[in-house]
Amino acid sequence: MIPLQAIAETGTTPGGALLVLGIVMPAVALVALIGLGGRAARMIVAAALLFQLYVAVRVALLVAGSATPLAYVVGGFQPPLGITLRADGVSALMMVVSAVIFLGAASFAWKDFAQARGQPEARLSLIFWSALLAMASALNLLFTSTDLFNLYVGLELLTFAAIPVVAIKGGAETLRAALRYLLFAVFGSMLYLFGIVLIYGAYGTLAISAIAAQVQPNAATLAAAGFVTVGLLAKTALFPFHLWLPPAHAGAPAAGSAVLSALVVKGSLFLLMRLWFDTFPSLREPADMQLLAFLGALAVIIGSVTALRQPRLKLLVAYSTVAQIGYMFFVFTLVPKTAGDIVASAAWTGAWLQVVAHAFAKAGMFLAAGLVAEVLGHDRIRDLGGLSARAPLVVLTFAISGLSLMGLPPSGGFSAKFMLLAAALAEGHWVWATVIIAGGVLAGAYVFAVLARMMAAPTKAAELASIGRTRQLIALGLASVSVLMGLMPLHPIAFFEIGRFP
Amino acid sequence: MMETGFDVVLALMLLGVGGWSIIARNMMTAVIIFIAYGLLLSLAWVRLHAVDVSLTEAAIGSGATGLLMVIAAHKVAGDSQRVVRLSRGFHVLAAVFATLVAIGIASLAFVLPGAPVSLAAPVLERLPESGLGNPVAGVLFVYRSFDTLLEKVVLLLALIGVWALARDQDWGGVPGLRLFQHPHSVLMLLARTLPPIGFVFAIYMTWAGADVPGGAFQGGTVLAAMWILVMVAGVRRVPRVSSPLLRLAIVAGPLVFLAIGFLGFVAPGVFLAYPDGLAKPLIVVMEVALTLSIAVILGLLIAGPPRAKDSA
């Protein structure tokens, strides 16, 4: 075993306490919310999420300013006994993205989950806002922890916060979706836990950097990596583990779907990248990574084709998430074991841009789909006619989110897919390059199919409900971020490389 | 020799009882056998010198989980039309899959590097600094208290998850726990005589947890069992989920835990670190608050979501 002093890497850095606050303050707010009751919920949530944004921006500025990661040794015990939090470039990026999307989703949900003045506590209010706070805490934990068991706690918290959001509407269909989600997620948790038990048995530590320093390609380690990977794939809904996602994401209220699709599936994906790039970098054999990319390719094709065949808008948007997640798995094969050249950097940047652009585009699109269902009283794609005249902002939101999903310029989705494509071609992976292009064409097909319906003449004179302008602007704002990202130069971004484990 | 014989018998019983719970035709029978299986398993943990794990297995794995399964089996049995019967082929497939998993796990135990690598030595080495005697408590409340804190937040979310299943119009009401109020039943006798003993036992388990196996989770489970007993027998009313006092009991543990965590920022200057010499008293305060919260949350998880107000 390595002596303790050798394992202890960096201690707490200036500003490291921000990482603790990012995880703990939403938990403080959650305790206050349950203790004081749902009537105080919105004020508590607003304060917590604004603080969350402040913390995330400060972390990003500190990481960018020093070009080194932030770290905090919780409780003062260095690994392997204790737990260290650490924010590198991509942690800081994801903290900011999640803080912004949480604020957007919460503002969108502000009226829906309100609490009537002078009335007793409402169920919706308590459940929704509690779950939102817990998800915010869990995601920051997943983005910054460097301890495999601590990360497991983060996964559990995220799962148990996401399921009430799926189940919140009640009714047989959503409960079935929530139960299916629960079964997949618990299956994933068990595999992950079993994998890290093996790792602890083999290396006597759960700290990522300590494992990376001594990892050997022996049977126990490979089995552990396999278990952990399959467990995380189940939670990330990569094909063929995607079956739980569409009913769950389509069954939640719009603001919930936005957070689930934009952020929650990225939590386990983030951990998967931590695992293969930081914990077991030396185990990244091309053949195994090709398998992940192959599943990603199948997800792109099958997810998009299935999206095309959906009769309901929210299900179409959910299947589009299945497809868009697939792109993110090309990173495992496009960033080779011995990184460092410009092609690998382009693939790395492309994958993270895809994560971020999809987060904003999908948040905007799910909110737009929610508004569509509210205006028309249904979300049958066949009967969307006349929407462009009655709710032009909603149609615009759907269109510009679609731009990023298709990967048309200018959009973050374009930059992401272009860089992934360039890396795939430079490394001679013409199969993945073909899939990236085909996926864009298929996304174009399902986005335009919906837009064409929205622009068509009304099928029947239906009673239309009115929707507030504020919520339309929130959806549009989130979708616009995905387009504005396209104005950045097509260049590997140095910030994403800060503090990558060597 | 005697001990080996005991271990062999225990292992055979585990296999036998485990197999029996799988092939049992009746769901309720299977659940009861599963509870017995959990108790045998907790004996196995004692034989492996993992007494803390054993207590948790008996309390949570067998006790609380078993009770939840009894309730679920009872509900399903009362609604036999909606029970989905799985085909024989599915059963065979599940059996093959489970056997393969078991063989895979068993064989992995042999591929781990020869000498077990463990942090036991450094854990024991630094334990005296905290004033604790139980190394498991040391891991839970000193070295990795951050995990323990977040696990308590997970427990809050488990309750939110159960409460999410309520209907809007029933919200604020009383959990739909099935009551058996018969003034002359054995249950009533137990509900009146057992709680004082259970209460003392729970306090002892929590208190002793600092130095010997035990602690907030085990103590809290015993307390929860007592609470459920008096509620089911109708000795005490089931509280409304919106009751402010109940809410306070739910969050007391996490609240005290967080407060002590933040106290660390003041002295000695690190989150979740304890001021010099105060580690043990602060941990005991934390454990007491956690015992209360764990007991109330487990009780509420078993009591279920609030039901229509008139049926209460």
Side-chain angles (χ1 to χ4, degrees):
Chain A
M1 204 174 97
I2 292 189
L4 298 187
Q5 295 83 343
I7 290 173
E9 40 158 30
T10 54
T12 298
T13 62
L18 287 166
L19 305 181
V20 172
L21 295 180
I23 298 161
V24 171
M25 287 314 280
V28 171
L30 173 71
V31 165
L33 196 162
I34 296 176
L36 297 172
R39 268 168 292 178
R42 293 195 305 176
M43 287 306 144
I44 293 171
V45 170
L49 292 183
L50 285 171
F51 186 73
Q52 184 90 340
L53 183 64
Y54 162 78
V55 166
V57 171
R58 276 291 303 278
V59 168
L61 289 177
L62 284 170
V63 170
S66 64
T68 52
L70 296 189
Y72 194 85
V73 183
V74 184
F77 287 95
Q78 296 270 11
L81 281 185
I83 296 162
T84 301
L85 301 175
R86 181 177 183 275
D88 53 14
V90 289
S91 311
L93 167 79
M94 291 309 293
M95 283 177 80
V96 174
V97 169
S98 102
V100 173
I101 289 177
F102 269 114
L103 264 180
S107 331
F108 187 91
W110 193 253
K111 282 240 174 65
D112 293 345
F113 297 95
Q115 172 79 48
R117 205 172 268 280
Q119 292 292 309
E121 178 188 68
R123 179 189 71 105
L124 282 178
S125 173
L126 178 79
I127 306 292
F128 181 80
W129 298 119
S130 299
L132 205 66
L133 288 172
M135 286 194 276
S137 172
L139 281 167
N140 276 351
L141 180 63
L142 288 175
F143 296 150
T144 56
S145 181
T146 64
D147 180 280
L148 292 181
F149 184 78
N150 194 236
L151 286 162
Y152 168 77
V153 179
L155 280 176
E156 285 300 87
L157 186 55
L158 191 61
T159 302
F160 284 105
I163 287 166
V165 173
V166 173
I168 202 166
K169 280 194 196 162
E173 203 180 325
T174 49
L175 289 184
R176 201 172 297 131
L179 191 61
R180 194 196 277 195
Y181 182 14
L182 180 74
L183 290 176
F184 269 91
V186 169
F187 169 74
S189 293
M190 271 170 22
L191 288 180
Y192 178 89
L193 192 59
F194 187 60
I196 65 171
V197 165
L198 283 176
I199 291 169
Y200 178 74
Y203 301 104
T205 178
L206 293 162
I208 285 178
S209 55
I211 297 163
Q214 39 178 334
V215 74
Q216 299 289 331
N218 53 35
T221 312
L222 292 175
F227 282 121
V228 172
T229 303
V230 175
L232 291 174
L233 293 185
K235 285 183 182 272
T236 312
L238 180 68
F239 180 89
F241 302 105
H242 65 290
L243 290 171
W244 62 266
L245 187 146
H249 286 194
S257 310
V259 171
L260 291 174
S261 242
L263 299 173
V264 171
V265 285
K266 313 287 166 54
S268 42
L269 175 71
F270 189 94
L271 187 43
L272 201 59
M273 291 177 67
R274 269 271 178 272
L275 198 76
W276 285 108
F277 291 100
D278 299 336
T279 316
F280 309 129
S282 58
L283 299 186
R284 229 162 55 236
E285 290 306 326
D288 304 337
M289 296 298 104
Q290 294 266 11
L291 180 63
L292 283 179
F294 177 66
L295 293 178
L298 286 178
V300 170
I301 302 299
I302 293 172
S304 304
V305 170
T306 320
L308 259 173
R309 300 157 52 103
Q310 293 308 307
R312 285 182 43 214
L313 186 58
K314 282 192 93 177
L315 278 172
L316 179 146
V317 180
Y319 271 104
S320 146
T321 297
V322 171
Q324 296 287 323
I325 287 170
Y327 287 103
M328 299 162 199
F329 281 84
F330 294 134
V331 72
F332 293 103
T333 181
L334 295 181
V335 176
K337 210 155 137 180
T338 48
D341 64 340
I342 182 93
V343 175
S345 293
W348 183 251
T349 297
W352 286 106
L353 284 181
Q354 168 69 8
V355 169
V356 177
H358 174 255
F360 282 105
K362 194 47 64 72
M365 196 176 247
F366 255 125
L367 295 184
L371 289 171
V372 168
E374 221 173 300
V375 173
L376 300 176
H378 69 80
D379 71 340
R380 292 186 301 275
I381 295 170
R382 200 155 52 85
D383 301 326
L384 289 180
L387 199 70
S388 59
R390 301 300 298 264
L393 276 184
V394 175
V395 177
L396 180 65
T397 304
F398 193 89
I400 63 174
S401 311
L403 206 63
S404 192
L405 297 184
M406 289 181 263
L408 288 185
S411 71
F414 166 73
S415 312
K417 282 153 200 163
F418 180 80
M419 285 165 98
L420 286 173
L421 186 62
L425 291 173
E427 290 172 26
H429 292 302
W430 58 269
V431 179
W432 310 139
T434 314
V435 173
I436 292 170
I437 294 169
V441 174
L442 286 168
Y446 64 71
V447 168
F448 282 118
V450 171
L451 283 177
R453 283 288 173 192
M454 288 175 167
M455 309 261 187
T459 39
K460 47 186 165 236
E463 190 98 345
L464 296 183
S466 72
I467 41 172
R469 178 163 290 262
T470 321
R471 287 188 303 162
Q472 301 186 47
L473 289 176
I474 293 165
L476 184 62
L478 288 174
S480 310
V481 177
S482 72
V483 171
L484 290 176
M485 282 173 62
L487 301 178
M488 290 189 299
L490 282 174
H491 202 275
I493 297 172
F495 183 74
F496 296 177
E497 309 265 355
I498 294 174
R500 278 184 68 185
F501 287 97
Chain B
M1 187 60 215
M2 175 82 186
E3 289 190 343
T4 316
F6 182 80
D7 288 348
V8 170
V9 172
L10 184 60
L12 289 175
M13 279 175 77
L14 270 170
L15 282 174
V17 173
W20 188 17
S21 85
I22 293 170
I23 57 170
R25 283 245 161 243
N26 182 300
M27 200 183 301
M28 192 59 92
T29 316
V31 170
I32 305 290
I33 302 167
F34 172 81
I35 293 172
Y37 174 77
L39 293 175
L40 284 174
L41 200 58
S42 68
L43 272 183
W45 285 116
V46 174
R47 294 291 303 137
L48 293 167
H49 303 287
V51 183
D52 284 275
V53 181
S54 165
L55 286 171
T56 313
E57 172 63 41
I60 302 294
S62 176
T65 313
L67 190 50
L68 283 173
M69 286 165 94
V70 166
I71 295 171
H74 182 81
K75 281 190 176 155
V76 172
D79 195 1
S80 55
Q81 294 183 333
R82 280 163 59 189
V83 177
V84 182
R85 292 257 167 248
L86 298 169
S87 69
R88 193 163 197 87
F90 189 87
H91 278 283
V92 172
L93 206 66
V96 170
F97 180 71
T99 311
L100 286 178
V101 169
I103 293 171
I105 291 174
S107 58
L108 281 171
F110 295 101
V111 302
L112 283 175
V117 195
S118 146
L119 290 175
V123 163
L124 284 172
E125 190 185 313
R126 299 194 60 176
L127 197 61
E129 291 171 28
S130 62
L132 299 177
N134 179 5
V136 175
V139 172
L140 291 180
F141 289 101
V142 183
Y143 310 122
R144 303 185 63 98
S145 51
F146 195 43
D147 282 339
T148 313
L149 168 64
L150 292 163
E151 285 287 10
K152 297 304 165 261
V153 182
V154 175
L155 207 54
L156 290 178
L157 261 296
L159 183 61
I160 292 288
V162 168
W163 282 358
L165 302 175
R167 292 186 308 174
D168 280 318
Q169 62 267 34
D170 300 339
W171 187 249
V174 170
L177 187 68
R178 242 178 95 98
L179 306 183
F180 298 93
Q181 292 161 299
H182 302 294
H184 302 295
S185 67
V186 180
L187 189 68
M188 186 59 98
L189 180 69
L190 286 177
R192 290 198 182 278
T193 53
L194 212 50
I197 305 169
F199 195 71
V200 172
F201 187 53
I203 292 172
Y204 169 74
M205 274 189 118
T206 305
W207 174 257
D211 292 315
V212 291
F217 224 101
Q218 292 88 342
T221 315
V222 173
L223 215 51
M226 295 303 118
W227 191 41
I228 290 166
L229 184 60
V230 297
M231 284 195 298
V232 169
V235 176
R236 300 293 295 181
R237 293 237 314 271
V238 186
R240 311 171 72 83
V241 293
S242 54
S243 148
L245 212 60
L246 184 74
R247 293 291 177 86
L248 186 65
I250 291 168
V251 298
L255 190 67
V256 170
F257 210 143
L258 283 163
I260 290 175
F262 277 101
L263 179 70
F265 271 134
V266 183
V270 179
F271 184 75
L272 276 175
Y274 303 103
D276 255 348
L278 287 180
K280 190 168 175 191
L282 286 177
I283 290 171
V284 169
V285 169
M286 226 149 67
E287 291 227 55
V288 169
L290 284 175
T291 306
L292 174 68
S293 292
I294 289 168
V296 172
I297 293 174
L298 286 178
L300 288 170
L301 288 178
I302 286 164
R307 284 277 190 78
K309 282 159 192 146
D310 46 50
S311 75

Coordinates of all heavy atoms in Angstrom, one line a residue, chain B residues 36-91:
Chain B
A36 N -36.8 -14.0 7.9 CA -36.0 -15.0 8.6 C -34.6 -15.1 8.0 O -33.6 -15.2 8.7 CB -36.7 -16.4 8.6
Y37 N -34.6 -15.0 6.7 CA -33.3 -15.1 6.0 C -32.4 -13.9 6.4 O -31.2 -14.1 6.7 CB -33.5 -15.0 4.5 CG -32.3 -14.9 3.6 CD1 -31.5 -16.0 3.3 CD2 -32.0 -13.6 3.1 CE1 -30.4 -15.9 2.5 CE2 -30.9 -13.5 2.3 CZ -30.1 -14.6 2.0 OH -29.0 -14.5 1.2
G38 N -33.0 -12.7 6.6 CA -32.2 -11.5 7.0 C -31.7 -11.7 8.4 O -30.5 -11.3 8.7
L39 N -32.4 -12.4 9.3 CA -31.9 -12.6 10.7 C -30.8 -13.6 10.7 O -29.8 -13.4 11.4 CB -33.1 -13.1 11.5 CG -34.2 -12.1 11.8 CD1 -35.3 -12.7 12.6 CD2 -33.6 -10.8 12.5
L40 N -30.9 -14.6 9.8 CA -29.7 -15.6 9.7 C -28.5 -14.9 9.2 O -27.4 -15.1 9.6 CB -30.1 -16.7 8.8 CG -31.0 -17.8 9.3 CD1 -31.4 -18.8 8.2 CD2 -30.4 -18.5 10.5
L41 N -28.8 -14.0 8.2 CA -27.6 -13.2 7.6 C -27.0 -12.4 8.6 O -25.7 -12.2 8.7 CB -28.2 -12.4 6.4 CG -27.2 -11.9 5.4 CD1 -26.5 -13.1 4.8 CD2 -27.9 -11.1 4.3
S42 N -27.7 -11.8 9.5 CA -27.1 -10.9 10.6 C -26.3 -11.8 11.5 O -25.3 -11.3 12.0 CB -28.2 -10.1 11.3 OG -29.0 -11.0 12.1
L43 N -26.7 -13.1 11.7 CA -25.8 -14.0 12.5 C -24.5 -14.2 11.7 O -23.4 -14.2 12.3 CB -26.5 -15.3 12.6 CG -27.4 -15.5 13.8 CD1 -27.9 -16.9 13.9 CD2 -26.6 -15.2 15.1
A44 N -24.6 -14.3 10.4 CA -23.4 -14.5 9.6 C -22.4 -13.4 9.7 O -21.2 -13.5 9.8 CB -23.7 -14.8 8.1
W45 N -23.0 -12.2 9.8 CA -22.1 -11.0 10.0 C -21.4 -11.0 11.3 O -20.3 -10.5 11.5 CB -22.9 -9.7 9.8 CG -23.3 -9.4 8.4 CD1 -24.5 -9.3 7.8 CD2 -22.4 -9.1 7.3 NE1 -24.4 -9.0 6.5 CE2 -23.1 -8.8 6.2 CE3 -21.0 -9.0 7.3 CZ2 -22.5 -8.5 4.9 CZ3 -20.4 -8.6 6.0 CH2 -21.2 -8.4 4.9
V46 N -22.1 -11.5 12.4 CA -21.5 -11.6 13.7 C -20.3 -12.5 13.6 O -19.2 -12.2 14.1 CB -22.5 -12.1 14.7 CG1 -21.8 -12.3 16.1 CG2 -23.6 -11.1 14.9
R47 N -20.5 -13.6 12.9 CA -19.4 -14.6 12.7 C -18.2 -14.0 12.0 O -17.1 -14.4 12.2 CB -19.9 -15.9 12.0 CG -20.9 -16.7 12.7 CD -20.3 -17.3 14.0 NE -19.1 -18.2 13.6 CZ -18.0 -18.2 14.3 NH1 -17.8 -17.4 15.4 NH2 -17.0 -19.0 13.9
L48 N -18.5 -13.0 11.2 CA -17.4 -12.3 10.4 C -16.9 -11.1 11.2 O -16.1 -10.3 10.7 CB -17.9 -11.8 9.1 CG -18.2 -12.9 8.1 CD1 -19.0 -12.4 6.9 CD2 -17.0 -13.6 7.6
H49 N -17.3 -11.0 12.5 CA -16.8 -10.0 13.4 C -17.3 -8.6 13.0 O -16.6 -7.6 13.3 CB -15.3 -10.0 13.6 CG -14.9 -11.3 14.1 ND1 -15.1 -11.7 15.4 CD2 -14.2 -12.4 13.5 CE1 -14.6 -13.0 15.6 NE2 -14.1 -13.4 14.4
A50 N -18.3 -8.5 12.2 CA -18.8 -7.2 11.7 C -20.2 -6.9 12.5 O -21.2 -7.1 11.9 CB -19.0 -7.2 10.2
V51 N -20.1 -6.6 13.8 CA -21.3 -6.5 14.6 C -22.1 -5.3 14.2 O -23.4 -5.4 14.2 CB -20.9 -6.5 16.1 CG1 -22.1 -6.4 16.9 CG2 -20.0 -7.7 16.4
D52 N -21.5 -4.2 13.8 CA -22.3 -3.1 13.4 C -23.1 -3.4 12.1 O -24.3 -3.1 12.0 CB -21.4 -1.9 13.0 CG -20.8 -1.2 14.3 OD1 -21.5 -0.4 14.8 OD2 -19.7 -1.6 14.7
V53 N -22.5 -4.1 11.2 CA -23.2 -4.5 10.0 C -24.3 -5.5 10.3 O -25.5 -5.4 9.8 CB -22.3 -5.2 9.0 CG1 -23.0 -5.6 7.7 CG2 -21.1 -4.3 8.6
S54 N -24.1 -6.4 11.3 CA -25.1 -7.3 11.7 C -26.3 -6.6 12.3 O -27.4 -7.0 12.0 CB -24.4 -8.3 12.7 OG -25.4 -9.0 13.4
L55 N -26.0 -5.7 13.2 CA -27.2 -4.9 13.8 C -28.0 -4.2 12.7 O -29.2 -4.2 12.7 CB -26.6 -3.9 14.8 CG -26.1 -4.5 16.1 CD1 -25.4 -3.4 16.9 CD2 -27.3 -5.1 16.9
T56 N -27.3 -3.6 11.7 CA -28.0 -2.9 10.7 C -28.8 -3.9 9.8 O -29.9 -3.6 9.4 CB -27.0 -2.1 9.8 OG1 -26.1 -1.4 10.7 CG2 -27.7 -1.1 8.9
E57 N -28.2 -5.0 9.5 CA -28.9 -6.0 8.7 C -30.2 -6.5 9.4 O -31.2 -6.5 8.8 CB -28.0 -7.2 8.4 CG -28.6 -8.4 7.8 CD -29.2 -8.1 6.4 OE1 -28.5 -7.4 5.6 OE2 -30.3 -8.6 6.0
A58 N -30.1 -6.7 10.7 CA -31.2 -7.2 11.5 C -32.3 -6.1 11.5 O -33.5 -6.3 11.3 CB -30.8 -7.6 12.9
A59 N -31.9 -4.8 11.8 CA -32.8 -3.7 12.0 C -33.4 -3.3 10.6 O -34.6 -3.1 10.5 CB -32.1 -2.6 12.7
I60 N -32.5 -3.0 9.6 CA -33.0 -2.4 8.4 C -33.3 -3.5 7.4 O -34.4 -3.6 6.8 CB -32.0 -1.4 7.8 CG1 -31.7 -0.3 8.8 CG2 -32.5 -0.8 6.5 CD1 -32.9 0.6 9.1
G61 N -32.3 -4.3 7.1 CA -32.4 -5.3 6.0 C -33.6 -6.3 6.3 O -34.3 -6.6 5.3
S62 N -33.7 -6.7 7.5 CA -34.7 -7.7 7.8 C -35.9 -7.0 8.4 O -37.0 -7.2 7.9 CB -34.1 -8.7 8.8 OG -35.1 -9.6 9.2
G63 N -35.7 -6.2 9.4 CA -36.9 -5.6 10.1 C -37.7 -4.6 9.3 O -38.8 -4.9 8.9
A64 N -37.1 -3.4 9.0 CA -37.8 -2.3 8.4 C -38.2 -2.7 7.0 O -39.4 -2.6 6.5 CB -37.0 -1.1 8.4
T65 N -37.2 -3.3 6.2 CA -37.6 -3.7 4.8 C -38.6 -4.8 4.8 O -39.6 -4.8 4.0 CB -36.3 -4.2 4.1 OG1 -35.3 -3.3 4.3 CG2 -36.5 -4.4 2.6
G66 N -38.5 -5.8 5.8 CA -39.4 -6.8 5.9 C -40.8 -6.3 6.1 O -41.8 -6.8 5.5
L67 N -40.9 -5.3 7.0 CA -42.2 -4.8 7.3 C -42.9 -4.1 6.1 O -44.0 -4.2 5.8 CB -42.1 -3.8 8.5 CG -43.4 -3.2 9.1 CD1 -44.3 -4.4 9.5 CD2 -43.0 -2.4 10.4
L68 N -42.0 -3.3 5.4 CA -42.5 -2.7 4.1 C -43.0 -3.7 3.1 O -44.1 -3.6 2.5 CB -41.4 -1.9 3.5 CG -41.1 -0.5 4.1 CD1 -39.9 0.1 3.5 CD2 -42.3 0.4 4.0
M69 N -42.3 -4.9 3.1 CA -42.7 -5.9 2.1 C -44.0 -6.6 2.6 O -44.8 -7.0 1.8 CB -41.6 -6.9 2.0 CG -40.5 -6.4 1.1 SD -39.0 -7.4 1.2 CE -39.1 -8.4 -0.1
V70 N -44.1 -6.8 3.9 CA -45.4 -7.3 4.4 C -46.6 -6.4 4.0 O -47.6 -6.9 3.5 CB -45.3 -7.5 6.0 CG1 -46.7 -7.7 6.5 CG2 -44.4 -8.6 6.4
I71 N -46.4 -5.1 4.2 CA -47.5 -4.2 3.9 C -47.8 -4.3 2.4 O -48.9 -4.3 1.9 CB -47.1 -2.7 4.3 CG1 -46.9 -2.6 5.8 CG2 -48.1 -1.7 3.7 CD1 -46.3 -1.3 6.2
A72 N -46.7 -4.3 1.5 CA -46.9 -4.4 0.1 C -47.6 -5.7 -0.3 O -48.5 -5.7 -1.1 CB -45.5 -4.2 -0.6
A73 N -47.1 -6.8 0.3 CA -47.7 -8.1 -0.1 C -49.2 -8.1 0.3 O -50.0 -8.6 -0.4 CB -47.0 -9.2 0.6
H74 N -49.5 -7.5 1.5 CA -50.9 -7.4 1.9 C -51.7 -6.6 1.0 O -52.8 -7.0 0.6 CB -50.9 -6.8 3.3 CG -52.3 -6.8 3.9 ND1 -52.8 -7.9 4.5 CD2 -53.2 -5.8 4.0 CE1 -54.1 -7.5 4.9 NE2 -54.3 -6.3 4.6
K75 N -51.2 -5.5 0.5 CA -52.0 -4.7 -0.4 C -52.2 -5.4 -1.7 O -53.3 -5.3 -2.3 CB -51.2 -3.3 -0.7 CG -51.4 -2.4 0.5 CD -50.9 -1.0 0.1 CE -51.2 0.0 1.2 NZ -50.3 1.1 1.3
V76 N -51.2 -6.0 -2.2 CA -51.3 -6.7 -3.5 C -52.3 -7.9 -3.4 O -53.1 -8.1 -4.3 CB -49.9 -7.2 -4.0 CG1 -50.0 -8.1 -5.2 CG2 -49.0 -6.1 -4.3
A77 N -52.2 -8.6 -2.3 CA -53.1 -9.7 -2.1 C -54.6 -9.3 -2.1 O -55.5 -10.0 -2.5 CB -52.8 -10.5 -0.8
G78 N -54.8 -8.1 -1.6 CA -56.2 -7.6 -1.5 C -56.7 -7.1 -2.9 O -57.8 -6.7 -3.0
D79 N -55.8 -7.1 -3.9 CA -56.2 -6.6 -5.2 C -55.7 -7.6 -6.2 O -54.9 -7.3 -7.1 CB -55.4 -5.2 -5.3 CG -56.0 -4.5 -6.5 OD1 -57.0 -5.0 -7.1 OD2 -55.5 -3.4 -6.8
S80 N -56.2 -8.9 -6.1 CA -55.6 -10.0 -6.8 C -55.7 -9.8 -8.3 O -55.0 -10.4 -9.1 CB -56.1 -11.3 -6.3 OG -57.6 -11.2 -6.5
Q81 N -56.7 -9.0 -8.8 CA -57.0 -8.9 -10.2 C -55.8 -8.2 -10.9 O -55.6 -8.4 -12.1 CB -58.3 -8.2 -10.5 CG -59.5 -8.9 -10.0 CD -60.8 -8.2 -10.3 OE1 -60.8 -7.0 -10.4 NE2 -61.8 -9.0 -10.4
R82 N -55.2 -7.3 -10.2 CA -54.1 -6.6 -10.9 C -52.7 -7.2 -10.7 O -51.7 -6.6 -11.2 CB -54.1 -5.1 -10.4 CG -55.2 -4.3 -11.0 CD -55.5 -3.1 -10.3 NE -54.4 -2.2 -10.2 CZ -54.4 -1.1 -9.4 NH1 -55.4 -0.8 -8.7 NH2 -53.3 -0.4 -9.3
V83 N -52.7 -8.4 -10.1 CA -51.4 -9.0 -10.0 C -51.0 -9.6 -11.3 O -51.7 -10.3 -12.0 CB -51.4 -10.2 -8.9 CG1 -50.1 -10.9 -8.8 CG2 -51.8 -9.6 -7.6
V84 N -49.8 -9.2 -11.8 CA -49.3 -9.8 -13.1 C -48.6 -11.1 -12.8 O -47.7 -11.2 -12.0 CB -48.3 -8.8 -13.7 CG1 -47.8 -9.3 -15.0 CG2 -48.9 -7.4 -13.8
R85 N -49.1 -12.1 -13.5 CA -48.5 -13.5 -13.3 C -47.4 -13.6 -14.4 O -47.7 -13.4 -15.6 CB -49.5 -14.6 -13.5 CG -50.5 -14.6 -12.4 CD -50.2 -15.7 -11.4 NE -51.0 -15.6 -10.2 CZ -50.4 -15.3 -9.0 NH1 -49.1 -15.1 -8.9 NH2 -51.2 -15.1 -7.9
L86 N -46.2 -13.8 -14.0 CA -45.1 -14.0 -14.9 C -45.1 -15.4 -15.5 O -45.4 -16.3 -14.7 CB -43.8 -13.6 -14.3 CG -43.7 -12.1 -13.8 CD1 -42.5 -11.9 -12.9 CD2 -43.7 -11.2 -14.9
S87 N -44.6 -15.5 -16.7 CA -44.6 -16.8 -17.3 C -43.5 -17.7 -16.7 O -42.6 -17.2 -16.1 CB -44.4 -16.7 -18.8 OG -43.1 -16.3 -19.0
R88 N -43.6 -19.0 -16.9 CA -42.6 -19.9 -16.4 C -41.2 -19.6 -17.1 O -40.2 -19.7 -16.4 CB -43.1 -21.4 -16.8 CG -42.3 -22.4 -16.1 CD -43.0 -23.8 -16.1 NE -42.4 -24.6 -15.0 CZ -42.8 -24.6 -13.8 NH1 -43.8 -23.8 -13.4 NH2 -42.3 -25.3 -12.9
G89 N -41.3 -19.3 -18.3 CA -40.0 -19.0 -19.0 C -39.3 -17.9 -18.4 O -38.1 -17.9 -18.2
F90 N -40.1 -16.9 -18.0 CA -39.4 -15.7 -17.3 C -38.8 -16.1 -16.0 O -37.7 -15.7 -15.7 CB -40.5 -14.6 -17.1 CG -40.0 -13.3 -16.6 CD1 -39.6 -12.4 -17.5 CD2 -39.8 -13.1 -15.3 CE1 -39.0 -11.2 -17.1 CE2 -39.3 -11.9 -14.8 CZ -38.9 -10.9 -15.7
H91 N -39.5 -17.0 -15.3 CA -38.9 -17.5 -14.0 C -37.6 -18.2 -14.2 O -36.6 -18.0 -13.5 CB -39.9 -18.4 -13.3 CG -40.9 -17.7 -12.6 ND1 -40.7 -17.1 -11.3 CD2 -42.2 -17.5 -12.9 CE1 -41.8 -16.6 -10.9 NE2 -42.8 -16.7 -11.8

